[in-house]
Amino acid sequence: MKNINSVIKDKILEWSGPSYDASTRKKLQEIIDGDLESELIDSFYKDLEFGTGGLRGIMGVGSNRINKYTLGKATQGLSNYLKKEFPNEEIKVAVAYDSRNNSTIFGHLVAKVFAANGIKVYLFDELRPTPMLSFAIRHFNCQSGVMLTASHNPKEYNGYKAYWNDGCQLTAPYDVNVITEVNAIKSVEEILFEGNESNIIRIGEELDQVYIDANKALSIHPEIVSVQKNLKIVYSSIHGTGITIIPKMLACWGFKNVFIVEDQAVPDGDFPTVNYPNPEEEDAMSLARLMGEKIDADLVLATDPDADRVGIAVKNNQGKFQLLNGNQIGSLLVYYVISSRAALHNLGSNPYIVKTIVTTNLQSDIANYFGINSYETLTGFKYIGELITKLGDAEQYLVGGEESYGYLIGDLVRDKDAPNSCAFLAEMTAFFKEQGKTLYNVLLELYQKFGCYQEKLISITKKGKEGAEEIQAVMKRLRKETPKTLGGVEVKEVRDYLRSQATDMITGEQIDITLPKSDVLQFITVDGDVISARPSGTEPKIKFYCSVKENLIHIEDYDRLQNILAAKIERMMQDIVRD
């Protein structure tokens, strides 16, 4: 261990001691004996921290890994904070888990730590989607909750999403306060792993129907579904939790013709049929799309392991199944919800939508057309949930989401909700089919009306300590060497969300950004193009988002215009992205 500094060595020595169980010490010794210095450094060079998606990391031994002790420490810290925040109340939390390896074990571990701290725990009997955890918090009037999941990350990952009493993931000041309590724990002996298991109450299938019925009440056009009940829908859970709820949700809404991708229906943390369990990836959607082609489906759906994200495939004008990206799916949902409710004079009082700063402006364009307010938040659905809670009954939330395939219609929960989204995507497909249109037709109509948008995301993975340092170096470079042009187009404005400042590159005028600080840079050209650079809060990646737009006069020009926009994106990305 000659290249390992003294701080890391001290941590390794601590984890080799009797305070840690025999299994942990054995695994650590195997790494030491294997002379795996890089693995030791990555496992111990820092403590896992809450990011935009909570606590997330590779499973294994060490302070920078997901394991019994990092999860126990996080739960003990959260327990300590809850006791301080609610000193004269019965404290209740909900705990759920997904299909990932060790999620069930971790879920029961977290429940036991809460229970040992005298906290009443509502623990799901079996794996369930993340949005059901948010729903349970609100349903049982809990002060907090935890979901054990790493969402769509690779199979070696797991994670810990912590929630507050509104059903939203922790935001400021609660996230910082919990971290303070976690960091105050100096020894594993302070973690209460055993005791008071009578405080654990099991949640069974009875909550499923409550959740499904509450969602069904949000349906805008149930009469159309009854006419189009034989709509052909393909669904894949990609070995995740969606299989427990989404088929039942679609059946409850009245859809009779749902085809399950059986090869991906069994929950399995190894995700054996895909390279990456993410519906953003063509590979993850391939089996569902093949089934869609085979049965001539109207809609193909697939959800990620914890069922908070959903991807879809629809027929294009050539009759081929085409994947839609997250911006396109979200824009269709925004249009369907607003236009349908407007036609029924059912928009409510002070209606609004929400999108993130890296989500397409097409959604704002649609909202503005209907006279609906459109809010922007930082990336991370917790900020959307936080805004819904903040606005409360003063304004009515309709729909919102992120470009990363997460959406929410209605305010039953405070997180992105794939079962909810799947039901509305099916209803929307039925609604437009009744008009003789596919979702692809509707998308092109939106482009013709509001402008043809094209977006692209480039994610560059930088693993470990060195990778984290490289990502920070990239952001430092972009701040120091601000590009004056992108793809030959002049940069008009630079928004630095870490410095809370927007700068007009032509006049030099500076304007304060009112959103919370975040390590995000946005470059906006004189053409209105937007490139954003952002280190991921949940993965070892730096992400570059690009959005461009041109007028689409004739729908038959769409394919040609897409090629023009794709070439423009490539030129712009070349000026800012360096791997």
Side-chain angles (χ1 to χ4, degrees):
M1 299 194 293
K2 59 183 179 180
N3 295 317
I4 298 178
N5 66 42
S6 60
V7 174
I8 295 175
K9 283 182 179 179
D10 287 345
K11 282 189 177 182
I12 293 171
L13 184 63
E14 177 191 346
W15 281 65
S16 301
S19 296
Y20 293 81
D21 62 30
S23 175
T24 297
R25 298 198 305 271
K26 180 182 177 183
K27 290 176 183 176
L28 177 56
Q29 193 59 48
E30 288 171 356
I31 299 172
I32 294 171
D33 292 343
D35 200 24
L36 303 175
E37 285 195 356
S38 178
E39 185 173 344
L40 283 170
I41 291 171
D42 288 345
S43 297
F44 288 97
Y45 82 94
K46 67 173 184 176
D47 293 342
L48 281 176
E49 299 174 355
F50 282 96
T52 58
L55 195 68
R56 192 177 298 186
I58 295 171
M59 290 178 280
V61 176
S63 61
N64 190 37
R65 294 288 186 256
I66 292 290
N67 52 60
K68 170 182 178 179
Y69 297 100
T70 53
L71 294 178
K73 184 177 180 181
T75 307
Q76 186 63 54
L78 178 54
S79 298
N80 294 346
Y81 180 62
L82 287 168
K83 290 178 180 180
K84 290 180 179 179
E85 191 72 10
F86 305 100
N88 300 312
E89 298 181 32
E90 178 189 39
I91 301 174
K92 298 179 289 185
V93 302
V95 176
Y97 47 90
D98 71 0
S99 62
R100 286 183 173 272
N101 294 329
N102 298 315
S103 280
T104 302
I105 295 170
F106 290 155
H108 285 75
L109 167 76
V110 167
K112 286 182 178 181
V113 174
F114 279 130
N117 278 274
I119 293 172
K120 188 174 183 178
V121 184
Y122 291 93
L123 174 65
F124 281 80
D125 263 345
E126 297 178 333
L127 72 167
R128 285 296 184 270
T130 288
M132 285 198 67
L133 183 277
S134 178
F135 183 82
I137 292 170
R138 296 166 62 79
H139 179 74
F140 293 113
N141 296 312
C142 297
Q143 287 91 344
S144 184
V146 171
M147 179 73 192
L148 283 303
T149 179
S151 189
H152 58 288
N153 281 57
K155 64 181 181 181
E156 62 266 24
Y157 282 77
N158 215 316
Y160 180 104
K161 291 182 179 179
Y163 290 74
W164 203 237
N165 59 5
D166 60 349
C168 180
Q169 288 185 55
L170 293 181
T171 56
Y174 310 115
D175 52 355
V176 175
N177 292 344
V178 170
I179 286 295
T180 298
E181 292 293 338
V182 173
N183 291 339
I185 297 171
K186 301 304 181 184
S187 169
V188 293
E189 276 84 7
E190 298 176 52
I191 304 170
L192 305 180
F193 282 111
E194 301 290 344
N196 294 331
E197 289 194 36
S198 61
N199 287 334
I200 299 175
I201 299 168
R202 300 303 181 105
I203 302 174
E205 292 184 359
E206 67 279 358
L207 189 66
D208 294 355
Q209 201 58 49
V210 177
Y211 169 74
I212 289 171
D213 289 344
N215 273 283
K216 178 64 169 63
L218 299 174
S219 174
I220 302 172
H221 286 295
E223 78 286 355
I224 297 294
V225 174
S226 66
V227 174
Q228 292 288 343
K229 62 185 178 183
N230 290 319
L231 194 80
K232 290 183 181 179
I233 302 170
V234 170
Y235 171 65
S236 171
S237 59
I238 314 182
H239 306 290
T241 63
I243 196 66
T244 65
I245 289 295
I246 291 172
K248 290 191 285 187
M249 178 83 81
L250 293 171
C252 180
W253 279 51
F255 294 103
K256 307 294 185 183
N257 224 2
V258 179
F259 297 80
I260 306 297
V261 180
E262 296 295 343
D263 287 348
Q264 296 180 323
V266 177
D268 188 335
D270 287 329
F271 311 114
T273 64
V274 298
N275 294 318
Y276 195 52
N278 184 352
E280 297 182 55
E281 303 289 332
E282 287 193 26
D283 167 67
M285 293 284 296
S286 61
L287 289 180
R289 183 159 61 171
L290 283 172
M291 179 176 280
E293 293 171 352
K294 182 178 179 180
I295 69 167
D296 192 29
D298 296 288
L299 176 66
V300 174
L301 301 163
T303 54
D304 67 343
D306 67 324
D308 60 356
R309 301 169 188 254
V310 56
I312 73 171
V314 298
K315 282 184 187 176
N316 62 23
N317 288 345
Q318 287 73 47
K320 302 292 184 182
F321 277 89
Q322 179 171 326
L323 302 183
L324 298 189
N325 64 42
N327 284 307
Q328 293 169 327
I329 299 168
S331 298
L332 285 167
L333 284 169
V334 166
Y335 177 69
Y336 172 68
V337 172
I338 293 178
S339 63
S340 295
R341 293 187 63 161
L344 295 171
H345 305 288
N346 187 28
L347 284 169
S349 177
N350 298 320
Y352 68 96
I353 72 162
V354 192
K355 73 179 196 69
T356 71
I357 58 175
V358 297
T359 302
T360 180
N361 287 326
L362 175 57
Q363 294 173 19
S364 299
D365 294 343
I366 295 168
N368 293 338
Y369 175 80
F370 285 95
I372 304 297
N373 198 8
S374 174
Y375 288 101
E376 276 195 339
T377 70
L378 295 176
T379 305
F381 209 95
K382 67 179 184 178
Y383 296 112
I384 295 177
E386 180 185 41
L387 181 63
I388 296 171
T389 296
K390 178 182 177 181
L391 294 177
D393 295 333
E395 300 183 35
Q396 184 171 345
Y397 171 80
L398 298 178
V399 57
E402 302 180 292
E403 51 72 39
S404 54
Y405 294 66
Y407 324 101
L408 174 67
I409 301 92
D411 62 356
L412 289 176
V413 304
R414 294 292 184 272
D415 209 343
K416 48 189 176 286
D417 189 334
N420 161 277
S421 301
C422 285
F424 271 97
L425 286 165
E427 180 178 295
M428 175 171 63
T429 302
F431 178 81
F432 288 118
K433 185 176 182 180
E434 186 71 6
Q435 298 179 10
K437 299 177 182 178
T438 66
L439 294 189
Y440 190 80
N441 297 148
V442 179
L443 181 64
L444 296 193
E445 290 176 359
L446 292 180
Y447 284 155
Q448 187 177 34
K449 187 176 186 67
F450 298 105
C452 187
Y453 283 85
Q454 187 175 138
E455 285 89 16
K456 183 173 183 178
L457 168 64
I458 294 179
S459 295
I460 299 175
T461 300
K462 300 285 187 180
K463 293 185 177 181
K465 181 175 182 292
E466 291 184 1
E469 292 169 350
E470 289 179 41
I471 288 172
Q472 289 305 310
V474 170
M475 296 302 291
K476 184 177 180 181
R477 169 180 64 80
L478 289 174
R479 287 188 169 92
K480 184 177 181 181
E481 304 170 13
T482 304
K484 303 296 189 296
T485 62
L486 292 169
V489 183
E490 185 178 6
V491 174
K492 178 184 178 182
E493 182 181 351
V494 177
R495 297 176 184 172
D496 189 336
Y497 289 85
L498 189 61
R499 297 173 179 170
S500 300
Q501 196 169 77
T503 303
D504 188 314
M505 300 297 286
I506 298 173
T507 66
E509 181 184 2
Q510 294 184 334
I511 301 173
D512 291 338
I513 295 173
T514 58
L515 292 175
K517 291 182 181 296
S518 182
D519 193 8
V520 181
L521 285 169
Q522 282 190 322
F523 306 93
I524 302 166
T525 73
V526 292
D527 288 351
D529 311 310
V530 182
I531 285 188
S532 306
R534 167 185 166 265
S536 172
T538 58
E539 302 170 272
K541 293 180 178 181
I542 183 168
K543 296 185 175 184
F544 298 91
Y545 309 76
C546 186
S547 177
V548 297
K549 171 188 172 184
E550 292 287 350
N551 291 331
L552 177 63
I553 306 301
H554 304 290
I555 284 180
E556 54 266 28
D557 293 333
Y558 174 68
D559 290 337
R560 180 181 61 82
L561 187 56
Q562 284 291 286
N563 291 332
I564 293 172
L565 292 175
K568 184 176 186 180
I569 287 175
E570 288 303 313
R571 292 194 302 271
M572 294 176 70
M573 286 295 204
Q574 286 175 7
D575 285 346
I576 201 166
V577 179
R578 301 177 196 170
D579 191 349

